[in-house]
Amino acid sequence: MSTIAPPTPTAAPTASRPSGRAPIARLAWMLTRPGAASPATVALPIVAFAVTTALLLIVLGGVLMFWQRTDVNAEAFKLLSLLALALLIVPLATLGGAAARLSARRRDDRLATLRLLGATTGTVTLVTVVESTVLAFLGALAGVVLYAVSMPLVGLIPFDGGPIGPTAIWTGPLPILAVVVGVALLAAVSSVIGLRAVVVSPLGVRLRQRAPHTSWLRLLAGVVIVAVAYGTLSSLGVITDVAILVVALVGAFAASVAVLGLVGPFALSVFAKVRLRRAKTAEQLISARGILESPKAAWRLVGGVAMTSFVAVVAGTGTALLESFSAQSSADAIFIADIRTGVLITLVASFTMVACSVGVGQAAAVLDRRDLYVSLDRVGMPVATMDRARVRSVMLPLVFVAVGSALLGALLVFPLAGLALIVAPLSLLVIGICFVLGLALVRLSLLATRPILTNVLAHPERSLG
Amino acid sequence: MNTPLLHASSLVLRYGSTTALAGVDLVINEGESVAIMGASGSGKTSLLHCLSGILRPDGGTVRFAGPTGPVDLSTLSDGERSRLRREAFGFVFQQGLLVPELTAVENAALPLLLSGYARRDAEARAAAWLGALGLRGLEERRIGELSGGQAQRVAIARAQVGGATLIFADEPTGALDSATSVDVMDALLRSTVGQGHTLVVVTHDEKVAARCSRVVRLTDGQIVSDSAGPVPPRAAVPAPGAFAGPSPVTTAVAHVAATDGPAFGGAGWEAGR
């Protein structure tokens, strides 16, 4: 009987004696380098961070542009730019969160293997942090390029009677540096606080927790605030000064927007419950349950659109009316046209951010649920059904909140809206077109993630084996 | 009486330069419980995937004696095989792989919804299955609120709710502790072969295999032992003849039993854990 002799160790050079420390950078590179991971694993977070950075810089550049104005309307524009920023901050944060989550949850298996091989928790965490941060940094750099490339296009937007020009939203090098560092830090912090363990559903929500209860009290508070806002807006007719009018409008908006935030998740959960009861097909059932899983997460995704839709209708109506009445003064006309342009830009920007969040979130969700999708394919669920369930779980809440908030806005300014419909139908049509374009953009981003789903089903061996 | 249900002949399957199945011949009879065993990489899961129409073999044929006549799985399109899997076969995977947002009863009802059943009927039938598998009272629980064994029972209900009489299970107890494994295997056997249905299980667990009526062992993509003896030389399932209609795929209505739920159950079934 022969024994198996261990291989004779070759004379090791003294320099390669183990140091006892894990080579973090080397491990991170081994896990991230092209070929080690599927291209989507590395490319998706980079793209997500690039889009986040570019949108962040464009918004920042836009706000700074208004703060550099020195004309008579400068104060009003500063106020309005802050309002726009407030409206965009939620969708922007959602997008950033989605990107961070996407990069932080990568390659759990590989990290688990590392741990099995004896890497300490500290090493594993450090590898994840290094990896996420590097990907975020690369994405942020790409985002700066994207921002620079998009500047001429954004420069076509008319303000103050003409296009703002290709360099109008240039923030300067310091803010750019701050944004790039900020995005990388966001990724680092996200991976430290262990977002890896988060299970992402089609809406990008945490699973395995009881669906939260939303209270009727919120609805009551909402109704009261809306009534007060309605009263304020109804008495706007007595105000003739444009500046005071703007302040009154902004006040009423702020209150109503707050109501939307208060009532939104509740309204979404009621909406989903109705949908659930009426669900007849598998995709209707899955999408309604998906929203109910976390109405708050669903609201985080589409809430920005709710607020901008509301503002678009109210402000759009107001500006359309003012424009048709004050045509004799060209300075006022330009000011009002600028406000309307700002409203439309904010609307389109918030839809764009939702579209990006949906794209990133869906990419992550499909990859996270790889096994589930493969198993559903095996039990004979058609791909079209899986895709429809995904699309419905995003588009239904989006259309619901966009239309719902627009209607709420129209209700608030009901007499004015009716008047505007008669005297300035074209202005309202433009707002309507922006809505349709925004919805189409989100639908497109869902379409863009479909190949990820078909690719997962075409390579089932990567998941179930 | 042995009635052949599934007949694989000379199955060959390759992944690139690796040969997963190297000429497998296997006849599975109605009412059998067949355990397919083998080491990792022996081709047991590949065989299951070919037998169930998940994968199309590179060579050989798989004939299935469907309710409307014999079907050659290897000649069906992707869509037709997908429909066959949905309507004639049932699947149980290692980890239930249920839709996490849906409740137990909704998960079990999913195949019926996909086949176009009204939701109320689908859920009633699914609830009857869950009840028979010892999950009464848990119908409205979401999957995250169930134990591993309970989730696996939901998967067993989902596999059979559409009236499938041929169930494929891939390591159905692989993620469970040994006591729960016994329970789940009980549920699986009694709800399938207990009803005269057929069960094909891929497993590496000798205890699971010991409970099956027949054990087939694979090594390097070939059958090295079969407790039922060698495959008879004559084709057991006849080739689909010229008389077969243009669409040999069964429909849900054609094979779903007229009863509203499982025809088994009893006191022993209520003790699910």
Side-chain angles (χ1 to χ4, degrees):
Chain A
M1 189 148 165
S2 66
T3 53
I4 299 168
T8 323
T10 50
T14 46
S16 72
R17 188 176 299 160
S19 67
R21 279 199 315 269
I24 302 298
R26 206 183 155 77
L27 281 174
W29 167 244
M30 279 167 63
L31 293 171
T32 319
R33 67 184 166 187
S38 72
T41 322
V42 175
L44 273 173
I46 294 185
V47 170
F49 280 116
V51 171
T52 308
T53 308
L55 286 173
L56 190 62
L57 283 171
I58 291 172
V59 170
L60 192 66
V63 172
L64 288 177
M65 176 185 85
F66 287 115
W67 280 73
Q68 279 155 8
R69 288 178 73 125
T70 49
D71 55 289
V72 280
N73 292 324
E75 291 308 311
F77 273 118
K78 282 180 191 172
L79 191 71
L80 289 174
S81 69
L82 284 185
L83 179 68
L85 185 66
L87 286 170
L88 292 179
I89 211 91
V90 174
L92 201 53
T94 309
L95 175 59
R101 203 176 294 130
L102 187 63
S103 87
R105 97 200 150 88
R106 314 285 357 149
R107 286 176 297 284
D108 280 0
D109 313 348
R110 284 159 194 270
L111 294 175
T113 311
L114 270 185
R115 196 170 281 148
L116 276 177
L117 289 175
T120 61
T121 309
T123 307
V124 170
T125 309
L126 217 55
V127 168
T128 318
V129 171
V130 168
E131 192 186 276
S132 304
T133 313
V134 168
L135 291 184
F137 182 69
L138 291 177
L141 289 185
V144 173
V145 175
L146 197 63
Y147 158 68
V149 170
S150 68
M151 280 206 315
L153 202 68
V154 179
L156 296 176
I157 294 170
F159 259 109
D160 217 2
I164 53 173
T167 56
I169 59 159
W170 174 248
T171 59
L174 263 182
I176 291 180
L177 191 70
V179 166
V180 169
V181 172
V183 166
L185 274 180
L186 169 84
V189 170
S190 301
S191 51
V192 170
I193 57 176
L195 284 170
R196 272 186 304 128
V198 172
V199 181
V200 183
S201 85
L203 286 169
V205 303
R206 283 156 201 266
L207 296 178
R208 297 186 208 295
Q209 58 189 15
R210 260 269 169 238
H213 292 285
T214 23
S215 124
W216 286 95
L217 272 178
R218 287 183 168 214
L219 193 65
L220 192 70
V223 169
V224 170
I225 299 178
V226 169
V228 171
Y230 183 79
T232 313
L233 287 175
S234 302
S235 46
L236 276 185
V238 294
I239 305 168
T240 47
D241 187 282
V242 171
I244 298 177
L245 196 68
V246 166
V247 171
L249 276 173
V250 169
F253 288 169
S256 308
V257 162
V259 169
L260 283 175
L262 206 64
V263 178
F266 176 74
L268 262 183
S269 73
V270 171
F271 169 72
K273 273 179 196 153
V274 172
R275 285 275 159 187
L276 177 67
R277 259 201 301 280
R278 292 191 185 161
K280 288 191 182 71
T281 62
E283 61 262 31
Q284 288 171 350
L285 188 65
I286 295 173
S287 59
R289 281 279 182 207
I291 301 166
L292 271 180
E293 186 79 22
S294 173
K296 271 187 189 156
W299 173 257
R300 263 203 304 281
L301 190 63
V302 298
V305 160
M307 300 186 187
T308 38
S309 302
F310 173 81
V311 171
V313 168
V314 177
T317 303
T319 52
L321 274 180
L322 288 171
E323 200 173 16
S324 53
F325 291 148
S326 63
Q328 68 278 16
S329 154
S330 70
D332 273 0
I334 288 176
F335 177 54
I336 291 161
D338 284 353
I339 293 179
R340 205 188 54 210
T341 309
V343 166
L344 292 181
I345 291 170
T346 313
L347 183 66
V348 171
S350 88
F351 268 116
T352 308
M353 286 171 195
V354 172
C356 293
S357 294
V358 164
V360 171
Q362 280 295 309
V366 170
L367 291 175
D368 269 352
R369 305 185 131 204
R370 190 182 270 270
D371 292 357
L372 179 65
Y373 280 121
V374 169
S375 76
L376 289 176
D377 179 48
R378 288 185 178 166
V379 302
M381 183 186 273
V383 190
T385 306
M386 300 181 206
D387 203 44
R388 278 199 297 268
R390 243 163 36 91
V391 168
R392 289 180 71 92
S393 68
V394 172
M395 291 310 284
L396 280 181
L398 183 67
V399 172
F400 171 71
V401 298
V403 172
S405 334
L407 284 181
L408 182 69
L411 183 79
L412 267 184
V413 291
F414 180 64
L416 294 179
L419 194 59
L421 206 56
I422 297 160
V423 298
L426 203 64
S427 314
L428 295 192
L429 187 70
V430 172
I431 296 177
I433 290 172
C434 283
F435 267 106
V436 174
L437 281 179
L439 291 174
L441 198 63
V442 177
R443 183 66 187 82
L444 266 181
S445 85
L446 279 163
L447 198 65
T449 54
R450 191 186 152 107
I452 301 177
L453 177 62
T454 48
N455 191 43
V456 158
L457 298 181
H459 301 283
E461 66 276 7
R462 282 187 197 151
S463 32
L464 289 174
Chain B
M1 180 64 210
N2 285 348
T3 313
L5 185 63
L6 203 59
H7 182 190
S9 56
S10 315
L11 279 188
V12 175
L13 183 74
R14 294 186 197 92
Y15 296 110
S17 59
T18 315
T19 303
L21 295 176
V24 171
D25 294 295
L26 183 66
V27 176
I28 292 171
N29 296 311
E30 235 174 72
E32 272 189 320
S33 51
V34 182
I36 301 175
M37 296 199 73
S40 294
S42 60
K44 53 186 192 300
T45 297
S46 297
L47 178 58
L48 184 92
H49 288 175
C50 286
L51 292 177
S52 58
I54 288 173
L55 290 179
R56 196 201 294 266
D58 294 312
T61 56
V62 178
R63 292 193 200 123
F64 168 57
T68 57
V71 184
D72 186 350
L73 264 59
S74 40
T75 61
L76 297 182
S77 71
D78 283 355
E80 286 170 328
R81 279 185 288 133
S82 176
R83 190 170 158 202
L84 189 71
R85 293 201 297 271
R86 183 165 74 238
E87 299 184 345
F89 300 158
F91 290 89
V92 179
F93 303 105
Q94 180 170 0
Q95 288 150 334
L97 290 173
L98 303 158
V99 183
E101 305 89 298
L102 298 186
T103 62
V105 71
E106 287 165 350
N107 263 296
L110 212 50
L112 293 177
L113 287 177
L114 290 174
S115 295
Y117 277 76
R119 188 170 155 207
R120 184 192 296 262
D121 297 343
E123 290 192 1
R125 196 183 284 245
W129 267 98
L130 293 181
L133 288 164
L135 296 175
R136 186 157 293 133
L138 303 180
E139 294 89 348
E140 295 305 317
R141 292 259 185 108
R142 292 174 327 145
I143 300 310
E145 298 163 349
L146 297 176
S147 70
Q150 288 167 340
Q152 207 57 329
R153 283 157 191 268
V154 175
I156 293 172
R158 181 179 73 174
Q160 299 183 78
V161 74
T165 54
L166 175 54
I167 308 300
F168 295 96
D170 191 355
E171 303 279 10
T173 60
L176 304 174
D177 63 65
S178 57
T180 316
S181 287
V182 171
D183 286 348
V184 165
M185 207 50 208
D186 268 344
L188 189 57
L189 283 169
R190 290 186 61 176
S191 63
T192 54
V193 286
Q195 311 306 305
H197 300 167
T198 312
L199 176 67
V200 181
V201 190
V202 161
T203 183
H204 64 269
D205 186 345
E206 292 286 353
K207 282 185 208 147
V208 168
R211 303 190 60 186
C212 294
S213 63
R214 179 178 166 196
V215 180
V216 172
R217 288 174 201 276
L218 283 179
T219 301
D220 294 336
Q222 287 179 313
I223 294 182
V224 290
S225 81
D226 184 344
S227 63
V231 181
R234 200 170 49 81
V237 176
F243 58 86
S247 170
V249 179
T250 59
T251 64
V253 185
H255 66 82
V256 168
T259 52
D260 210 26
F264 65 97
W269 289 96
E270 306 306 318
R273 66 194 82 165

